[in-house]
Amino acid sequence: MEKIVLHQIYKKENVISYDFSVSKGLSEFFSGKKFEIEYSEDIESVPDSIASIPFVCNILPIIWLTNSKLILKCLDRNFYDCLPNVKKGYEIMFPESEFKGELEVSKIELNESSPTSRCAMFYSGGVDSMQTLVSHLDENPDLISIWGSDIQYNNREAWDLVHKAIEEASQKCDLKDIVIHSSFRKFDNEGVLHKRFSRQLKDGWWHGVKHGIALLGHVAPYAYLHDITTMYIASSHCPADGKVRCASNPLIDNSVRFGNCKVVHDGFEYSRQDKIHNIVEFNRKNNLNLPLHVCWESQSGGNCCRCEKCYRTIVGILAEEEDPSKYGFDNWEENIKYMRQNLVLKKSMYEETFRSYWTHIQKRLFENRHFLKGKSYWKYIRWILDADFTHPEKLKMPLLYRMRSIFSNFLFYQKLHELKVNRQ
């Protein structure tokens, strides 16, 4: 049996780092880079049984899927006890895969204190986390963001731009803004893990098995220091999306415990379009324009306004009779002209989960079509009403764009022919 051994946890002021070794059969799954986490305060008083949780959460999917053993000195009792249910959640979601492996812990410690009403939530500025924010604002949650998740660990410029929007939301809502800076996407070899397991899992490594539990593990030291008893993680999907494979799932997240803290997978009852509706209504009622950051493709910190996720958010906002520029989509009017051909060319909506998103948008567009028909952008989005998103392969590229493509190809081959003739 292959092994991963956590030898030592180093805590110096506000940084936790991990000294671990990996047996030969698992070495390809690691980059050789350090795993360290920087918090916004001194964490030296956090016991090792809590400080080990971020490491364990990032390692467990590898242990389970390779039937290996994780060896460490100590672990929190409530976290240790929740792991069978967490594993069961993965097994239900991925019935074709076996989740085995062992966890060998020398000492299990109970870390409990008097319960409080304090809560926290992950906040990225995206639609999902914004929905959780507006739903639980009266609970005064601490807003926790992870630098190193969507924005790369060493991209300071992009992070500053993203964090500016998070900071703006925290100030408008009078909430604590907590940043955790982590190399958790650098210390393992995500590309190799994806290549090895994506066909088996029918999903990618980050989306399918890692991101939910990996993010949650980072909160354990902070929750211990501040007596956080509820940690909200926003849902990415809803029951109407069907049986979606995703690392952040009620079956998994709602099972996670550490110290006094329980995790709540929040907003699962809402579709993405429902969430946009709720956010728009909240902002109108409270006269707040909280900016959204949804873009996966841009590492500049903004929304590119031309990827699938930006397009679906822009159209979702338009379907609610609202202006996307109020929500951080500055160039949406120019880019929406090319939305249809970009989506078709990139085959961006062929993934099953995306089809559900667009079906919900389609329904809301139809409901508000009488208002939208008078808008200048209507001609660029009206095709959505007639599209069959259950069969995205049938989506056609606009005739004008196809003619442009044909003409461009003609000019290219004509030029190629001229070069050939000139050489002769």
Side-chain angles (χ1 to χ4, degrees), residues 103-332:
L103 187 60
E104 183 181 305
V105 186
S106 301
K107 184 180 181 182
I108 298 175
E109 297 178 348
L110 186 64
N111 297 286
E112 288 187 346
S113 58
S114 299
T116 70
S117 60
R118 293 204 61 185
C119 68
M121 60 167 285
F122 285 123
Y123 188 75
S124 64
V127 169
D128 299 326
S129 65
M130 186 78 78
Q131 161 66 37
T132 294
L133 172 60
V134 301
S135 295
H136 298 282
L137 186 58
D138 60 339
E139 299 174 43
N140 296 312
D142 294 348
L143 305 186
I144 297 177
S145 54
I146 309 288
W147 174 13
S149 178
D150 295 330
I151 299 298
Q152 292 180 6
Y153 176 75
N154 55 358
N155 193 339
R156 163 68 69 174
E157 184 178 359
W159 174 253
D160 286 344
L161 287 170
V162 169
H163 185 244
K164 184 179 179 181
I166 295 171
E167 194 174 34
E168 180 182 343
S170 69
Q171 290 173 352
K172 285 183 177 180
C173 298
D174 194 24
L175 299 173
K176 288 181 69 174
D177 166 28
I178 307 300
V179 177
I180 300 175
H181 188 196
S182 174
S183 65
F184 74 124
R185 295 196 70 177
K186 293 292 184 182
F187 90 105
D188 61 6
N189 198 329
E190 201 170 295
V192 172
L193 286 162
H194 176 83
K195 186 176 180 180
R196 169 74 179 274
F197 294 104
S198 59
R199 181 175 295 182
Q200 170 187 335
L201 297 168
K202 299 178 183 177
D203 205 331
W205 182 261
W206 169 251
H207 178 267
V209 297
K210 181 177 178 179
H211 79 270
I213 194 170
L215 290 169
L216 287 169
H218 285 75
V219 178
Y222 180 81
Y224 173 85
L225 288 173
H226 294 275
D227 294 323
I228 301 295
T229 57
T230 304
M231 177 65 201
Y232 294 109
I233 181 169
S235 65
S236 299
H237 304 285
C238 69
D241 296 337
K243 293 182 178 180
V244 177
R245 296 166 186 253
C246 179
S248 182
N249 183 289
L251 294 170
I252 297 169
D253 296 342
N254 288 335
S255 298
V256 177
R257 302 281 188 277
F258 36 74
N260 272 2
C261 189
K262 66 176 181 179
V263 173
V264 175
H265 185 89
D266 186 68
F268 188 59
E269 66 272 27
Y270 296 116
S271 71
R272 183 178 172 84
Q273 190 59 36
D274 290 335
K275 293 176 180 179
I276 291 175
H277 172 80
N278 294 341
I279 291 165
V280 168
E281 288 301 307
F282 174 86
N283 283 334
R284 285 171 177 165
K285 182 179 178 180
N286 295 279
N287 196 28
L288 288 173
N289 290 322
L290 299 175
L292 288 167
H293 176 260
V294 305
C295 194
W296 285 337
E297 297 194 9
S298 172
Q299 283 291 316
S300 67
N303 296 307
C304 74
C305 296
R306 55 182 178 273
C307 69
E308 187 274 338
K309 197 173 183 186
C310 280
Y311 279 137
R312 84 168 106 107
T313 310
I314 289 167
V315 180
I317 293 170
L318 293 174
E320 298 298 332
E321 305 179 19
E322 188 57 281
D323 180 1
S325 62
K326 293 180 180 179
Y327 293 84
F329 299 91
D330 298 330
N331 301 314
W332 73 270

